[in-house]
Amino acid sequence: MVAVKEARGQGYAKRSLGQNFLVDPNTSRRIVQALDIEPHDHVLEIGPGRGALTDILAASEAHAVYAVEKDRELAPRLKARHPRLRIALIDALDVAWERLSPEHPWKIIGNLPYNVASPIIWEIAHRAMPASRCVFMVQKEVAQRLAAPPGSKTYGALSVFVQSYMRVKLAFTVGPQVFRPRPKIDSAVVVFTRMESRSVDAEALGAVLAVCFQKRRKQLGSILKQFWSQELEMLFEKRGLSTTMRPENLAVEDFQALAAVMNLRFRP
Ligand code: SAM
């Protein structure tokens, strides 16, 4: 495991766990502020690390604060500092998001490990339904993909999938200087708000997105040739789509409609 000694008495930062710790209290405060914590909220932090965000969350008016951390050295230290914090030593990719209690509002926050940020957000988008608002710091390039509108270069499967369940807003960008160790890239904070009304089949949508964006420069007529049907023909007509369009020109709702008609049952 590659580790970098960064601060006396704090142990090593583990690259394998994407550990770039926030050391600027002002940035930490801005990230937590974006979560809009209210007294009845149950707040869950992913990857609390050395506690840059956790310290602020623990002092907030949140009803309860939970955390999931994969690092078995850091988790107990944080628990010792914040005895009321409910911290689980698990991989965020293994969280049973469906089991978040719907009885109270949830907000999820994290300066996410960059290597697993996209899959974590993908799972939360369609499985953590009681989470009304999330704030995540990710690589700037991932933030741009998450918030991308149709027609833009970064619009792709991740944009469409996450925007099918949540409104996505790139809040602000953050330079490498606020982290130890310093990453080589810029980061950005993204705010997600749950859209209540959507009922979208995640598996069917994921499958259509995999098919379409694997060949994003090709025209839809060619991409969808093997799936072509009368229903697809009717859908294209109804939504004003053309077989010469490319996937990046379709709206989020167009992909949802394609998913409902094609109903593919495999995962990307
Ligand atoms: N929140 C801290 C901060 O802002 O300084 C730490 C952020 S650091 C970028 C990412 C954190 O996520 C680390 O504490 C790391 O140990 C933890 N982590 C990495 N992979 C994880 C995973 N799969 N599940 C849960 N936590 C993970």
Side-chain angles (χ1 to χ4, degrees):
M1 181 188 298
V2 183
V4 182
K5 184 88 171 162
E6 272 299 327
R8 278 201 187 86
Q10 298 249 47
Y12 291 91
K14 300 176 183 98
R15 285 205 187 122
S16 60
L17 290 176
Q19 292 183 345
N20 297 99
F21 298 106
L22 267 170
V23 291
D24 174 39
N26 194 36
T27 305
S28 301
R29 250 191 314 274
R30 285 182 76 196
I31 296 171
V32 174
Q33 260 166 16
L35 197 62
D36 275 346
I37 296 175
E38 294 174 83
H40 51 289
D41 287 335
H42 288 233
V43 174
L44 169 63
E45 183 183 3
I46 297 174
R50 292 176 183 161
L53 303 178
T54 330
D55 292 348
I56 306 173
L57 296 171
S60 76
E61 52 183 0
H63 183 81
V65 181
Y66 306 76
V68 295
E69 172 58 66
K70 198 175 169 185
D71 187 324
R72 55 180 63 254
E73 288 169 35
L74 293 182
R77 284 192 213 165
L78 209 53
K79 178 72 185 164
R81 191 150 96 230
H82 297 292
R84 289 184 56 219
L85 177 72
R86 295 163 219 203
I87 185 161
L89 183 62
I90 50 166
D91 190 321
L93 290 168
D94 296 333
V95 172
W97 295 110
E98 291 81 2
R99 292 178 58 193
L100 282 190
S101 165
E103 278 159 27
H104 37 69
W106 285 88
K107 290 183 177 164
I108 308 180
I109 191 167
N111 168 14
L112 295 182
Y114 290 168
N115 52 341
V116 285
S118 298
I120 288 174
I121 294 173
W122 182 288
E123 295 306 316
I124 287 175
H126 75 102
R127 292 170 55 202
M129 288 307 165
S132 60
R133 189 176 179 89
C134 305
V135 173
F136 295 126
M137 177 140 68
V138 296
Q139 243 176 285
K140 187 175 163 192
E141 179 257 324
V142 172
Q144 286 165 337
R145 280 167 46 207
L146 284 161
S152 64
K153 260 200 270 173
T154 49
Y155 184 66
L158 184 65
S159 337
V160 176
F161 189 86
V162 175
Q163 290 174 30
S164 290
Y165 298 94
M166 304 181 103
R167 260 182 289 278
V168 182
K169 187 168 174 272
L170 201 162
F172 57 93
T173 55
V174 178
Q177 70 282 358
V178 301
F179 301 94
R180 293 292 181 279
R182 289 183 185 206
K184 291 194 175 71
I185 37 136
D186 282 335
S187 307
V189 174
V190 186
V191 178
F192 304 81
T193 40
R194 174 75 54 200
M195 294 187 295
E196 294 295 346
S197 55
R198 301 285 172 94
S199 160
V200 180
D201 181 329
E203 198 178 340
L205 180 61
V208 162
L209 293 172
V211 167
C212 288
F213 283 104
Q214 259 160 28
K215 303 174 186 167
R216 63 179 293 140
R217 295 309 306 152
K218 289 209 170 164
Q219 297 182 345
L220 286 173
S222 146
I223 296 172
L224 299 178
K225 200 169 170 189
Q226 60 169 307
F227 305 102
W228 203 251
S229 65
Q230 211 177 2
E231 284 127 309
L232 264 184
E233 179 98 42
M234 281 161 59
L235 175 83
F236 266 57
E237 210 174 291
K238 187 170 151 207
R239 301 195 67 86
L241 304 178
S242 133
T243 50
T244 59
M245 290 170 88
R246 293 190 163 80
E248 66 202 39
N249 301 119
L250 264 55
V252 169
E253 294 76 13
D254 292 329
F255 284 106
Q256 292 167 1
L258 278 181
V261 166
M262 292 169 65
N263 201 22
L264 302 177
R265 312 308 304 177
F266 59 87
R267 295 298 304 266

